[in-house]
Amino acid sequence: MKIEILTLFPELVEQVVRFGIPRKAVEAGVLTLSARDIRDYSPDRDRRIDDRPYGGGPGMVMEAEPLSQAIDAAKAAIGPATVIALSPQGEPLTQDWVRRLAREPGLILLCGRYEGPDERVMEAVDVELSLGDFVLSGGELPAMALVDAVSRWLPGALGHEQSAPNDSFAAGLLDHPHYTRPEHWRGAAVPEVLLSGDHAKVARWRLKQALGATWLKRPDLLAGLELNEEQTRLLREFIAEASVNGGT
Ligand code: 9D3
């Protein structure tokens, strides 16, 4: 996978491959990432790439020409690629999107600043993606989040863990709780089943907790799932225990 990030802050977004899974992906040779400074494509001596909005109003708009040239240069550098604009107007980024994008040979990530790009650049954009309904000051952090999420799906990037296909989001559920030593901490004990050594029992408990957490915290996720017989039974048990414990 080859990724080009088009940004006014190239030294910021380059940091994403210095840590964690994206770094491992680069070291494993399955990811190359480079950041391209949109200002390098300004025709002006002062490297300006923004101008005032037609129709008036506050803020500045990113000019079409430098953006378009940056996109062309990125395409020339990495070959076939999906052009993605990180934008508050975009479709919400989901794990489905992440998995789909991880199979592409190349991604060009366009990071907006100010009020965003001149609308005419959108012709060259395949998809607009958003991180959610909150206001950031630019597309750089969402682009870095996308690189991180996609890296997890590149073969060899996770090393021995191989947990991407296993993580709870793959099943559409929230994660189960986790515990580590000590067994007793400030009066709170680790659930006994986790000390039992009975792997099947532990797996059942974890599935039940994942179902319960999703039911409590993200009922919208649960509504989109078809639970099998065992899952239905485990969730019923969780709900019954939650109401006994005064949880509902
Ligand atoms: C305060 C400016 N807003 C006017 C009502 C519009 C606006 C323009 C540019 C809001 C945010 C931005 C910059 N944000 C992004 O580029 C962005 C973003 C976000 O703000 N939230 C969630 N996902 C994303 S992806 C890109």
Side-chain angles (χ1 to χ4, degrees), residues 62-105:
M62 298 174 86
E63 296 167 19
E65 187 58 24
L67 280 174
S68 176
Q69 288 197 21
I71 293 170
D72 289 346
K75 280 183 175 165
I78 66 172
T82 302
V83 181
I84 300 169
L86 288 311
S87 150
Q89 281 78 45
E91 249 186 84
L93 179 63
T94 60
Q95 191 70 337
D96 275 349
W97 266 113
V98 169
R99 258 180 298 199
R100 207 179 316 165
L101 295 174
R103 286 189 299 229
E104 300 291 328

Side-chain angles (χ1 to χ4, degrees), residues 172-239:
L173 295 174
L174 299 185
D175 209 354
H176 56 77
H178 300 268
Y179 297 87
T180 187
R181 294 189 298 174
E183 198 180 317
H184 295 274
W185 181 76
R186 298 190 182 178
V190 171
E192 223 170 88
V193 55
L194 298 179
L195 311 173
S196 69
D198 183 338
H199 298 304
K201 221 169 135 189
V202 168
R204 259 196 316 279
W205 181 86
R206 286 180 170 163
L207 176 57
K208 179 170 162 181
Q209 297 304 314
L211 288 159
T214 310
W215 175 72
L216 281 171
K217 300 173 185 178
R218 291 293 304 275
D220 58 309
L221 292 180
L222 213 47
L225 295 177
E226 287 265 12
L227 299 188
N228 65 29
E229 211 174 303
E230 189 201 18
Q231 291 168 332
T232 306
R233 183 175 53 74
L234 288 171
L235 179 56
R236 288 223 174 95
E237 281 176 28
F238 183 97
I239 293 171

Side-chain angles (χ1 to χ4, degrees), residues 2-76:
K2 294 179 175 162
I3 301 180
E4 283 261 346
I5 303 184
L6 312 182
T7 172
L8 295 177
F9 300 100
E11 55 308 323
L12 169 65
V13 300
E14 274 162 0
Q15 297 301 314
V16 73
V17 290
R18 292 193 50 214
F19 305 95
I21 307 289
R23 177 184 179 157
K24 283 194 180 142
V26 170
E27 286 168 355
V30 295
L31 172 66
T32 67
L33 180 132
S34 80
R36 202 173 278 275
D37 191 338
I38 295 164
R39 285 193 199 284
D40 291 348
Y41 301 88
S42 167
D44 308 332
R45 225 162 50 86
D46 59 1
R47 289 165 60 82
R48 227 181 54 162
I49 53 81
D50 62 321
D51 206 340
R52 290 167 303 166
Y54 277 120
M60 298 294 271
V61 176
M62 298 174 86
E63 296 167 19
E65 187 58 24
L67 280 174
S68 176
Q69 288 197 21
I71 293 170
D72 289 346
K75 280 183 175 165

Side-chain angles (χ1 to χ4, degrees), residues 86-89 112 114-116 129-139 142:
L86 288 311
S87 150
Q89 281 78 45
Y114 319 119
E115 297 307 306
L129 295 173
S130 162
L131 234 50
D133 296 333
F134 54 93
V135 179
L136 292 165
S137 40

